[in-house]
């Protein structure tokens, strides 16, 4: 599998839109890997994970043609991960689609439909009710594997601030990964599911919103808690020395979130540090 980080920040981005804190000022000064857009990813160029307000920019920067994309999986309905207003531009005159264009299937928890229709009702002129004919919302239950764009995908309950947030186990051609954003330390039942299933993980990407800050921000993790997740996955046989572990989804409220600082801190525990545009093949 080839995994690409399109965006790697929390909701406000880095530097944050309206912030003069020391970390945002340093990110502006340094540029490069320190400039982070809202979190999104793509696997093998076909499976998109999350749809933030920065999806258009990610398309332009990475040469992605969204008309070729048939499957999007959504972790949860916070706007930095699920911005359904964009789907309104699939309607007539905004998009010239032909018979070769795949329907866009958007997978997630039962929260998706309610949030989608809220936007339909709120933006009637810009977002008419015929949009569901071009965007197919598919509600997928936790722990039940489904197939999309050649991947076997299992939604797992996340510990986060919406009704039914998910993280995802994604498998294809004998390879397996966990996309662990946004969540606190995994629920015991999720660890137990992975242990009983005996899944061998090639790649794990974890929420590191707080950087090295140990403040207990429930619903997100820090490097300290990433280490706990990593150790447990290794202890129960789901990961080993060959598993690639990465940290992602950084906030300017976290500590040591400047790329070189985080690279040094995370490297001590065997984690690589994501940045916008980073690719990992496994």
């Amino acid at each position: 599998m080839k995994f690409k980080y399109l965006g790697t920040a929390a909701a406000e981005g880095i530097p944050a839109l309206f912030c003069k804190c020391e970390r945002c000022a340093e990110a502006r000064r340094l540029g490069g890997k320190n400039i982070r857009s809202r979190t999104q990813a793509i696997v093998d160029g076909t499976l998109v994970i999350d749809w933030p307000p920065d999806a258009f920019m990610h398309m332009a920067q990475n040469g992605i043609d969204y008309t070729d994309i048939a499957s999007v999986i959504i972790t949860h309905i916070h706007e930095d991960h699920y911005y359904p207003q964009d789907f309104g531009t699939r309607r007539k005159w905004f998009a010239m689609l032909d018979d070769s264009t795949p329907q866009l299937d958007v997978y997630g928890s039962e929260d998706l439909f309610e949030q989608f229709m809220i936007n339909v009702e709120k933006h009637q002129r810009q977002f008419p009710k015929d949009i569901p004919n071009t965007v197919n919302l598919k509600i997928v239950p936790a722990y039940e594997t489904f197939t999309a764009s050649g991947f076997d995908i299992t939604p797992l309950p996340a510990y986060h601030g919406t009704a039914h947030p998910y993280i995802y186990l994604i498998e294809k051609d004998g390879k397996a990964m966990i996309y662990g954003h946004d969540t606190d330390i995994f629920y015991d039942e999720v660890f137990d599911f992975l242990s009983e299933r005996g899944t061998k993980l090639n790649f794990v990407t974890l929420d590191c919103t707080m950087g090295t800050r140990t403040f207990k921000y429930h619903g997100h993790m820090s490097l300290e808690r990433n280490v706990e997740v990593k150790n447990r996955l290794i202890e129960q046989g789901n990961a080993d020395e060959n598993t690639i572990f990465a940290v992602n989804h950084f906030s300017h409220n976290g500590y040591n979130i400047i790329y070189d600082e985080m690279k040094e801190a995370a490297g001590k525990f065997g984690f690589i540090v994501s940045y916008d545009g980073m690719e990992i093949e496994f």
Side-chain angles (χ1 to χ4, degrees), residues 76-93:
H76 63 294
I77 60 170
H78 285 158
E79 268 197 355
D80 57 318
H81 292 261
Y82 182 53
Y83 190 73
Q85 290 91 327
D86 275 356
F87 298 145
T89 62
R90 282 182 67 94
R91 72 184 188 271
K92 188 176 181 181
W93 304 119

Side-chain angles (χ1 to χ4, degrees), residues 126-274:
Q126 297 82 18
F127 206 134
K129 288 188 176 181
D130 63 357
I131 294 305
N133 296 327
T134 62
V135 178
N136 186 25
L137 299 185
K138 295 194 171 184
I139 307 308
V140 287
Y143 299 111
E144 293 189 16
T145 302
F146 65 95
T147 300
S149 295
F151 296 88
D152 293 324
I153 304 167
T154 309
L156 303 172
Y159 179 179
H160 194 56
T162 57
H164 302 94
Y166 285 156
I167 59 177
Y168 287 98
L169 170 65
I170 302 170
E171 300 170 282
K172 181 182 177 183
D173 298 333
K175 301 291 180 70
M177 65 165 286
I178 284 182
Y179 190 80
H181 314 286
D182 293 13
T183 188
D184 210 319
I185 291 176
F186 301 170
Y187 288 119
D188 284 343
E189 66 184 54
V190 171
F191 281 117
D192 292 344
F193 172 84
L194 293 170
S195 178
E196 292 168 9
R197 201 171 184 269
T199 303
K200 299 298 182 183
L201 298 167
N202 302 94
F203 175 51
V204 179
T205 175
L206 296 174
D207 181 299
C208 194
T209 300
M210 303 311 294
T212 61
R213 189 175 183 180
T214 56
F215 169 69
K216 297 298 183 183
Y217 181 1
H218 296 295
H220 287 292
M221 284 190 275
S222 61
L223 181 59
E224 176 184 58
R225 284 182 272 181
N226 295 156
V227 173
E228 290 185 46
V229 173
K230 177 181 178 179
N231 288 343
R232 183 157 175 182
L233 289 173
I234 291 173
E235 287 167 6
Q236 62 187 38
N238 293 115
D240 57 26
E241 68 278 3
N242 296 313
T243 304
I244 301 168
F245 282 88
V247 288
N248 180 47
H249 196 276
F250 299 100
S251 168
H252 70 129
N253 294 299
Y255 292 167
N256 293 311
I257 54 87
I258 296 300
Y259 178 79
D260 287 339
E261 296 172 353
M262 182 52 64
K263 182 179 179 181
E264 180 179 357
K268 294 175 182 177
F269 299 97
F271 288 89
I272 61 175
V273 178
S274 67

